[in-house]
Amino acid sequence: MDKHFCDIHCTDEADLLKIKKNSLDEEVITKLSAFFKALSDPTRLRIIYALSQTEELCVYHICCILEMSPSSISHQLRVLRQMDLVKTRKEAQSVYYSLKDKHVLQTFNQGLEHVLEQFGGQI
């Protein structure tokens, strides 16, 4: 950072050094970026919303809810699974999907709440 620029615009260099020292590791930043990228697809968000409304759903049920083909849903579920956002449970021939943990739900709900503020809180 340009020292002259800092002298003009920053009030406390100690704070800047503290922030710089506590910067996130590059691997963590990359994984966090991938996490948000996984959430950037409308279909995946619709799947997460559907899963947030119940304990678990199979591919067939998600297809019915989203009115999409099994191959489309399976592809998006694969991405969510690879990003560790959903987990699976197999029962006979069926695979059931659910949200991986409370953090996925919390992140989704906070984003939804933020967006809904623009619409006066209405869905």
Side-chain angles (χ1 to χ4, degrees):
M1 194 179 295
D2 183 358
K3 177 75 172 141
H4 177 70
F5 181 80
C6 252
D7 287 342
I8 295 171
H9 296 286
C10 299
T11 58
D12 191 349
E13 191 169 331
D15 283 345
L16 294 178
L17 292 173
K18 181 180 173 185
I19 293 167
K20 188 173 181 178
K21 181 183 174 200
N22 293 327
S23 292
L24 294 173
D25 177 87
E26 198 60 35
E27 184 178 354
V28 171
I29 288 292
T30 300
K31 287 188 180 276
L32 185 60
S33 175
F35 171 81
F36 282 109
K37 184 177 179 180
L39 295 177
S40 70
D41 180 85
T43 300
R44 290 192 290 265
L45 286 175
R46 292 175 71 206
I47 291 170
I48 289 174
Y49 181 73
L51 291 172
S52 76
Q53 302 301 300
T54 188
E55 193 171 314
E56 62 183 10
L57 293 167
C58 69
V59 173
Y60 173 77
H61 292 141
I62 297 171
C63 290
C64 290
I65 293 166
L66 301 182
E67 298 179 348
M68 294 177 68
S69 71
S71 63
S72 296
I73 295 299
S74 293
H75 170 73
Q76 299 302 340
L77 284 167
R78 185 171 32 259
V79 172
L80 292 171
R81 205 171 54 249
Q82 289 170 344
M83 291 310 305
D84 212 23
L85 299 177
V86 297
K87 60 184 176 182
T88 61
R89 179 181 68 81
K90 190 167 180 147
E91 184 177 298
Q93 299 290 345
S94 297
V95 178
Y96 292 89
Y97 291 84
S98 60
L99 297 178
K100 177 71 176 195
D101 57 38
K102 67 179 180 179
H103 301 112
V104 176
L105 182 59
Q106 288 171 342
T107 302
F108 176 83
N109 282 339
Q110 285 183 335
L112 180 60
E113 183 179 329
H114 175 74
V115 169
L116 288 177
E117 285 179 2
Q118 299 171 17
F119 299 99
Q122 302 296 320
I123 293 182

